[in-house]
Amino acid sequence: MTDLPDFHGSQTDHLHLILEAGGIGVWELDVRTGSAWRNLRHDQIFGYDVLLSEWSYETFLNHVVPEDRDAVDALYGSALAQRKTWSFECRIVGADGERRWISATGRPVRDESGEVVRLIGHVIDITHAKRNEEHLRTVLNELNHRVRNMLAVIQALAQRSFPDGIDVAEGREAFIGRIHALAQAHSVMTDEAWSGAKMADLVAGALAPYGGDGRSCDFSGPPMWLSSKVAVNLAMTLNELTTNALKHGALSVPEGRVGIHWSPHPDKQDVCELLWTESGGPPVVEPTRQGFGRQGFGMTLIGMLLPSTGGVAEVAFAPGGLRCRLEIQGCRPVAKGSGLP
């Protein structure tokens, strides 16, 4: 068996290694004079490149942001009076002008009479952790907002998908299709961290379930980027057009075709024009009341979704097949080297 090495002679080296690897600043404060000893990392946390010749409690307190200063000072006084550990988190402004978060702890050292004469402790920079915490809080708030909006949308879809007098099976089919469109749009958005969506991905996702069985759905257009604000609305619009095509239009027969083409609007900035064109389907008959099919909610939904974000939706019941022109706000070409997905 090999004997374990004797580390006694290198304990100081190991301690320095631990402090350096952990980015830990250490300090010792004489509470009677207010002067303090520190290591280099301590002063670096406060924005100094080299170890200062002097440091005091007042020097430290002057680095604490005014909003946190009174609370930190009160904790210091309480720790001395009650002979307990001084532990806190606060914001500081470094000598380099950068704002940071620190976490510090000081343990009291008493003299023979029991009075606290020194505090020995450590300080670490927790700025990165605090920023991650704030980011997580922002994401959680955004998620809660999106969930509330989504539940409101689902509630509205449920109410309008089952009007009085409609066949339950037909209503259920329409409702499930709309929920699927929502889920598909959210899947595309999640892949892009909710920063937006690629037009091609959104269109492909909306048409994916209907591309087989002899049906033809062709789409084309330059790379375009949709803002998150309009992506879900466009996905829902495409779902309504596709549902109508399946029931009454080009996708209701094997020889029918649906063509989708998009391009930047020739006159409007950050606007995309999308054309939906059906051909080869049964003769087109314009509904006697506003709406696609018998439910009437499809046309109403299309008339609400994109216009609610400043867009346009125009439907024409042309003899050769239904046509729809959409103007989509918050949509721009993806230029090479732009950094967009």
Side-chain angles (χ1 to χ4, degrees), residues 44-240:
Q44 288 174 337
I45 289 174
F46 286 85
Y48 298 96
D49 294 330
V50 297
L51 191 67
L52 300 184
S53 59
E54 295 181 351
W55 188 273
S56 68
Y57 176 72
E58 290 301 321
T59 305
F60 155 72
L61 208 57
N62 287 334
H63 279 286
V64 178
V65 299
E67 307 93 281
D68 296 352
R69 195 171 294 158
D70 288 345
V72 171
D73 193 36
L75 287 172
Y76 174 71
S78 176
L80 295 183
Q82 301 180 31
R83 304 171 184 176
K84 65 180 184 180
T85 298
W86 182 36
S87 183
F88 61 92
E89 291 181 358
C90 73
R91 294 163 293 176
I92 63 169
V93 178
D96 52 5
E98 183 179 344
R99 278 200 168 211
R100 299 181 179 92
W101 273 93
I102 62 168
S103 174
T105 299
R107 182 174 63 83
V109 177
R110 307 180 194 179
D111 61 11
E112 294 81 359
S113 65
E115 293 298 315
V116 177
V117 294
R118 290 181 294 147
L119 288 173
I120 58 173
H122 72 273
V123 59
I124 57 175
D125 186 337
I126 59 170
T127 306
H128 184 67
K130 283 292 185 179
R131 286 174 180 168
N132 285 344
E133 181 181 309
E134 181 61 29
H135 176 69
L136 182 60
R137 187 180 298 111
T138 301
V139 170
L140 183 59
N141 290 338
E142 177 67 15
L143 178 61
N144 288 334
H145 175 70
R146 292 188 186 279
V147 168
R148 287 194 298 270
N149 286 348
M150 181 59 60
L151 291 175
V153 170
I154 292 174
Q155 183 180 24
L157 290 177
Q159 290 173 342
R160 298 301 298 271
S161 295
F162 297 94
D164 294 338
I166 192 174
D167 178 72
V168 174
E170 184 178 355
R172 182 171 59 245
E173 180 183 358
F175 180 63
I176 290 174
R178 287 161 182 155
I179 296 300
H180 174 79
L182 276 174
Q184 179 61 40
H186 275 251
S187 177
V188 172
M189 297 290 290
T190 300
D191 290 342
E192 302 292 353
W194 281 90
S195 60
K198 300 170 187 172
M199 175 71 82
D201 289 348
L202 203 67
V203 174
L207 298 179
Y210 316 111
D213 300 326
R215 297 165 179 161
S216 178
C217 299
D218 302 321
F219 59 91
S220 63
M224 303 287 291
W225 182 253
L226 285 165
S227 70
S228 58
K229 189 175 181 179
V230 301
V232 173
N233 285 354
L234 177 59
M236 294 294 294
T237 300
L238 293 173
N239 175 71
E240 294 304 320

Side-chain angles (χ1 to χ4, degrees), residues 277-340:
T277 306
E278 298 184 26
S279 61
V284 175
V285 178
E286 185 170 356
T288 55
R289 59 174 178 160
Q290 186 182 22
F292 284 158
R294 289 168 290 173
Q295 291 187 55
F297 184 42
M299 176 60 104
T300 302
L301 195 57
I302 288 178
M304 293 168 49
L305 288 167
L306 290 176
S308 72
T309 51
V312 174
E314 299 173 346
V315 177
F317 296 91
L322 183 139
R323 297 174 183 270
C324 181
R325 189 183 76 87
L326 305 175
E327 288 186 11
I328 307 159
Q329 292 277 2
C331 183
R332 61 186 186 275
V334 178
K336 291 183 178 180
S338 65
L340 290 173

